[in-house]
Amino acid sequence: MKLNGSEIFVESLKREGVKTIFGIPGGVVLKLFDVLHQQKDVEVILTRHEQGAIHMAEGYGKATGKAGVALVTSGPGMTNIVTGLQDAMMDSVPLVAFTGQVPTNLIGNDAFQEADNIGISRPCTKHNVLVKDVADLAATIKEAFYIANTGRPGPVLVDIPKDVSTESAEFRYPDKVDIRGYRPTVTGNRYQIKQAAGEIMKAKRPVIYVGGGAIFSGAANEVREFAELTQIPLTMTVMGLGAFPGTHPLCMGMLGMHGTYCANMAMHEADLLIAVGARFDDRVTGKLSEFSPRARVIHIDIDPTSIKKNVHAHIPIVGDVKTVLRELVGVLSSMDGNPASVKAQRKPWQKQVSEWSARHPLAYQQEGKKETKPQYVIEKAYELTKHKAIVVTDVGQHQMWAAQYFRGAQQRTFLTSGGLGTMGFGFPAAIGAQKAYPNKTVLCITSEGSFQMNLQELAVAAIYKLPVKIILLNNQFHGMVRQWQDLFYEGRYASSDLGATPDFVKLAEAYGILGLHSDGPADVEAVLKEGLKHKGPVLMNFAIDRFENCYPMIPAGGAHHEMVLEDPPHMKTTRKGARKKGEDADAVLPA
Amino acid sequence: MEHIISVLVENKAGVLARVAGLFSARNYNIESLSVAPTPDSTISMITIVTSGEELIIEQIMKQLNKVIEVLKVVDLTEEDHIDRETALIKIGAKQSHRDEAIRIAQIFRAHIVDSTPQTYTLEVSGDSDKIQAVINLLKPMGIKEIVRTGRIAIARESA
């Protein structure tokens, strides 16, 4: 069957089971959009900015575990998705981005809306391909989805010149993919797994440290089985949240810069770390030379480059987390004296962990305060949606509070920009997740700083009736920047005070969606309840304490045991000269 | 320490850029680079001379392996190998220097591949030390230009 390039494109998407793509048309992709327009199987969500499209595709990919898809035009269309590509690269998000390109005979001639899409995206994609011949298009698309979804997932970009989208070729969609240079290791080395089991049985103070790899692998059940069998306390990175129930007695919460006291102390004192799909990011390890100084390290990861990159692994195991954990649990179960003996053996360590947990639990003081504490809003939102919502965050203080207080129970229900820390990710990603799961409650926890970076997508939520519940924690600051300035720059708030924000209720109404506002702690719960009950999208604006800081905090370059647990005394004096606490907390831009 | 890494890659557009970009993005060194086709026209061989501590070299090997179009990565430094580079050296060769230049060429098994009344151009192959030795000996005659290839290497067959 002979089809033109655009028909091949759409047929290929169908074969991949793609139901939704996010994008914006433009000169060189008109034919692709024209063919999409004439069929019903693949829905096109027209976003307001290409960055919105790529983050929506990310949200879709993170929520479902299958590649999200974006389609944008050449030149500015492509350059606008670069942030999302790098974000997906850092967080291993399965994603296929299709970009338009000028006709092949014009490539390199500085044609209108030309950019070197392949050159620009090379370092921020897992793979990218320029399709030079329409006859290669179907196979290229097949490979793109295969590469995006397998191994350590990631973004793949396919660049389609205009003439390739119009010329015809015989359509044959390959059944199988065989790329000789790409064969991810799935099964772990048996000998290494046996060694690991031996170490685990010997360890006195072991910690399981789980990252996003466990979630991409879909290994929540295996993680739980492993932790329960071995009775080892467990901590998660921000990317790993959801891989293990936050309410489980073995769960120590998140670790790292804003991790719990308990998790970080356990990391510092551990004699064995079992890293599961995690990559020892600097926000997790703190000062490398003092990181877990007494621990031996078992490192399970599908990506060999993650192993021994930052921290030495005594027992590296390359493989898919789910597969390796299954094998490991099998070996452990067959060992002598297991698992009954383990329980007794772990008691002293578990006792120590509970002591840490009790000594400095996550805490904030709402009672008796006039202003709303952001943690209070998040905790209430958590209580009202317990284990039923998909939580999508933006980046900054609110992200860390959400990570601390949302004790999720399921994988792929806490979506955040962990590696790149992209402000503006949250709202479009929430739209993408909502599109994937129209009947689930999707919360977008954001702030006035992050939200304003992609608020144009309110139109998409309204037009496509995607009922995202936006919880906007408004302190009129780039809060995390302000926190660092408080702690390390003597309170000089260089360009962190936003001065004023728009009237978010009116803004929501201007887009035809419900806007709600909360002034103080008294109406927080009522606003949340009303917003959650509403059928359509909602923007809930919470005026919060402008000067609340996120603790614990390991100062950059500090070690795990050097956590700061509350505002240090010097901040009281350095804050003079800034806008006073509470002053103008509701400042709105002049009409 | 210096390492010679040979990388078999798909012979496709952009692969060299990907490999080179990987080095610059991660702040790895490239001391020399050589790319050429192999008997299989779909495959090219990239030979990279780099340096770094063991952990860095391990990362380089792994990062190279991760590139989709990379088929095989070998650190030749770890095994017995032969490495060569070629230099073309243009020297000033006045009458008084011409015999000496020919003698040096003979000693190092270099060839004089171009000759004018004022210049000789020598072609010499060998390991880096040998090339450097030739250059040092020719220096007094006045070196006008040197062009060197990147290094290439091959593993020795065990007997």
Side-chain angles (χ1 to χ4, degrees):
Chain A
M1 186 175 35
K2 240 184 156 94
L3 298 178
N4 68 42
S6 296
E7 290 162 345
I8 291 175
F9 169 75
V10 174
E11 279 307 311
S12 303
L13 291 185
K14 287 185 199 167
R15 303 291 170 97
E16 290 298 327
V18 174
K19 296 269 182 294
T20 309
I21 68 173
F22 305 91
I24 304 182
V28 296
V29 288
L30 278 170
K31 182 78 181 172
L32 293 166
F33 276 88
D34 188 51
V35 174
L36 282 164
H37 187 69
Q38 298 173 51
Q39 52 82 53
K40 289 240 156 53
D41 296 322
V42 183
E43 185 187 5
V44 179
I45 303 288
L46 171 62
T47 67
R48 290 301 176 264
H49 191 296
E50 285 89 354
Q51 193 185 353
I54 197 79
H55 291 321
M56 286 179 208
E58 278 194 278
Y60 195 99
K62 279 191 171 184
T64 60
K66 281 197 202 139
V69 182
L71 170 61
V72 300
T73 194
S74 62
M78 185 276 162
T79 56
N80 277 340
I81 66 167
V82 168
T83 303
L85 292 175
Q86 179 65 6
D87 193 90
M89 190 68 178
M90 297 283 273
D91 284 351
S92 315
V93 185
L95 177 77
V96 179
F98 293 95
T99 53
Q101 183 55 275
V102 302
T104 43
N105 64 331
L106 288 182
I107 290 177
N109 288 12
D110 300 323
F112 177 65
Q113 292 195 327
E114 179 177 359
D116 177 6
N117 293 354
I118 294 298
I120 291 170
S121 63
R122 192 175 288 126
C124 52
T125 50
K126 182 174 174 185
H127 192 57
N128 65 10
V129 190
L130 167 68
V131 184
K132 288 180 183 159
D133 184 340
V134 65
D136 299 333
L137 183 59
T140 305
I141 294 174
K142 175 84 186 174
E143 288 183 5
F145 278 91
Y146 178 72
I147 291 170
N149 282 322
T150 54
R152 179 177 176 177
V156 177
L157 182 142
V158 179
D159 199 24
I160 306 178
K162 181 164 190 180
D163 49 328
V164 170
S165 75
T166 54
E167 282 167 7
S168 297
E170 192 63 30
F171 177 66
R172 259 195 315 270
Y173 205 65
D175 302 325
K176 269 196 292 192
V177 174
D178 183 29
I179 306 167
R180 54 184 171 176
Y182 179 70
R183 301 214 165 102
T185 309
V186 173
T187 314
N189 179 295
R190 280 203 154 178
Y191 174 78
Q192 297 289 86
I193 290 173
K194 271 198 176 147
Q195 294 284 105
E199 293 267 348
I200 289 165
M201 292 305 290
K202 273 196 320 216
K204 298 234 158 24
R205 301 184 307 279
V207 171
I208 303 172
Y209 146 53
V210 178
I215 289 175
F216 305 132
S217 167
N221 289 336
E222 287 73 13
V223 168
R224 184 170 183 156
E225 199 182 340
F226 173 57
E228 286 177 348
L229 174 73
T230 56
Q231 288 295 304
I232 299 176
L234 181 148
T235 180
M236 287 167 277
T237 69
V238 71
M239 296 305 300
L241 293 174
F244 190 69
T247 47
H248 195 283
L250 286 168
C251 184
M252 301 188 288
M254 182 174 70
L255 83 164
M257 185 171 270
H258 292 290
T260 63
Y261 177 81
C262 169
N264 286 339
M265 288 306 288
M267 289 297 278
H268 191 72
E269 297 298 331
D271 66 352
L272 178 68
L273 293 184
I274 304 130
V276 180
R279 60 186 176 88
F280 295 88
D281 170 83
D282 58 284
R283 285 297 196 261
V284 159
T285 61
K287 191 178 191 175
L288 269 180
S289 57
E290 288 177 39
F291 172 74
S292 295
R294 288 166 281 274
R296 286 176 64 77
V297 174
I298 298 168
H299 194 169
I300 305 167
D301 205 295
I302 197 157
D303 179 1
T305 68
S306 286
I307 295 174
K308 294 192 202 171
K309 180 168 62 184
N310 300 326
V311 167
H312 181 71
H314 301 85
I315 304 178
I317 304 174
V318 176
D320 168 56
V321 164
K322 188 179 185 142
T323 314
V324 171
L325 283 184
R326 268 191 193 158
E327 292 170 31
L328 185 55
V329 164
V331 172
L332 282 164
S333 308
S334 66
M335 286 170 92
D336 290 342
N338 229 350
S341 69
V342 163
K343 289 214 162 136
Q345 182 190 329
R346 298 279 186 244
K347 275 269 147 56
W349 175 233
Q350 285 175 351
K351 198 165 149 249
Q352 171 69 74
V353 167
S354 331
E355 266 175 44
W356 282 323
S357 178
R359 194 180 308 163
H360 294 294
L362 291 171
Y364 64 94
Q365 179 71 34
Q366 181 63 76
E367 247 179 74
K369 306 279 183 197
K370 274 208 315 242
E371 292 150 323
T372 304
K373 294 288 179 184
Q375 302 95 321
Y376 175 69
V377 181
I378 288 172
E379 209 166 29
K380 281 286 157 213
Y382 167 63
E383 283 169 19
L384 290 170
T385 59
K386 225 167 218 176
H387 312 321
K388 277 188 238 129
I390 297 176
V391 180
V392 189
T393 85
D394 251 302
V395 169
Q397 285 183 316
H398 70 272
Q399 175 190 30
M400 291 296 107
W401 284 316
Q404 290 175 339
Y405 288 92
F406 252 92
R407 280 166 291 163
Q410 279 172 5
Q411 53 197 358
R412 301 200 180 96
T413 58
F414 190 86
L415 318 182
T416 193
S417 168
L420 195 62
T422 307
M423 290 173 69
F425 163 88
F427 179 47
I431 292 176
Q434 185 79 77
K435 185 65 202 165
Y437 296 106
N439 299 320
K440 276 202 178 174
T441 302
V442 175
L443 303 181
C444 168
I445 299 180
T446 184
S447 66
E448 79 300 324
S450 288
F451 183 66
Q452 289 187 87
M453 290 196 180
N454 269 323
L455 70 78
Q456 75 282 350
E457 305 305 335
L458 280 169
V460 173
I463 290 166
Y464 295 94
K465 299 190 170 42
L466 296 167
V468 174
K469 314 297 179 206
I470 305 163
I471 297 173
L472 192 156
L473 301 174
N474 188 342
N475 58 10
Q476 306 209 348
F477 266 123
H478 285 303
M480 192 59 92
V481 172
R482 201 263 303 128
Q483 174 166 346
W484 282 55
Q485 290 168 333
D486 267 335
L487 288 163
F488 315 117
Y489 292 86
E490 294 160 351
R492 289 184 299 279
Y493 298 151
S495 303
S496 57
D497 190 335
L498 298 187
T501 44
D503 181 331
F504 283 110
V505 173
K506 281 189 187 157
L507 182 78
E509 286 167 356
Y511 278 97
I513 76 168
L514 178 64
L516 299 171
H517 178 76
S518 157
D519 273 326
D523 60 6
V524 165
E525 199 166 340
V527 166
L528 281 170
K529 278 186 174 159
E530 191 184 343
L532 289 168
K533 209 174 64 194
H534 184 67
K535 288 261 182 316
V538 188
L539 171 50
M540 292 169 264
N541 179 47
F542 294 88
I544 56 161
D545 183 347
R546 303 195 65 217
F547 293 92
E548 185 68 13
N549 283 337
C550 183
Y551 296 109
M553 178 179 187
I554 303 171
H560 276 162
H561 63 296
E562 296 170 336
M563 278 168 282
V564 179
L565 297 166
E566 57 184 12
D567 284 349
H570 75 80
M571 271 173 42
K572 289 206 172 66
T573 49
T574 55
R575 261 189 191 152
K576 271 188 225 155
R579 284 199 287 167
K580 294 279 180 307
K581 241 182 189 187
E583 191 180 292
D584 285 345
D586 286 334
V588 164
L589 290 168
Chain B
M1 196 196 134
E2 187 187 89
H3 287 254
I4 303 173
I5 297 172
S6 67
V7 191
L8 279 176
V9 300
E10 298 276 2
N11 182 11
K12 284 185 184 165
V15 177
L16 178 62
R18 204 179 284 281
V19 168
L22 186 161
F23 275 74
S24 69
R26 294 185 184 271
N27 210 8
Y28 304 143
N29 291 318
I30 294 184
E31 279 161 24
S32 89
L33 179 74
S34 145
V35 190
T38 64
D40 178 344
S41 64
T42 66
I43 297 176
S44 289
M45 166 78 87
I46 302 180
T47 308
I48 300 169
V49 180
T50 182
S51 61
E53 291 168 19
E54 286 312 303
L55 274 180
I56 299 285
I57 300 296
E58 188 177 330
Q59 265 297 311
I60 290 175
M61 303 280 292
K62 287 175 174 177
Q63 293 286 354
L64 284 168
N65 262 313
K66 197 169 153 180
V67 174
I68 308 280
E69 295 106 334
V70 167
L71 307 176
K72 195 177 176 194
V73 186
V74 180
D75 183 356
L76 285 169
T77 328
E78 284 183 349
E79 44 194 301
D80 203 4
H81 67 277
I82 305 153
D83 71 281
R84 290 289 180 269
E85 63 182 290
T86 295
L88 294 170
I89 307 166
K90 195 183 286 174
I91 55 167
K94 285 178 271 173
Q95 201 52 49
S96 55
H97 285 146
R98 291 181 93 86
D99 288 351
E100 177 64 6
I102 290 167
R103 265 198 298 278
I104 293 170
Q106 276 170 348
I107 293 167
F108 287 94
R109 280 185 282 173
H111 304 288
I112 294 171
V113 290
D114 188 37
S115 163
T116 69
Q118 272 76 46
T119 63
Y120 273 152
T121 300
L122 280 75
E123 174 202 319
V124 58
S125 288
D127 60 22
S128 297
D129 290 348
K130 173 176 162 184
I131 306 249
Q132 202 50 54
V134 177
I135 291 169
N136 290 344
L137 285 169
L138 293 173
K139 240 181 213 156
M141 296 172 208
I143 290 176
K144 292 182 175 298
E145 200 180 342
I146 301 177
V147 180
R148 291 169 80 158
T149 63
R151 253 192 285 171
I152 52 167
I154 197 164
R156 275 185 201 277
E157 212 48 41
S158 46

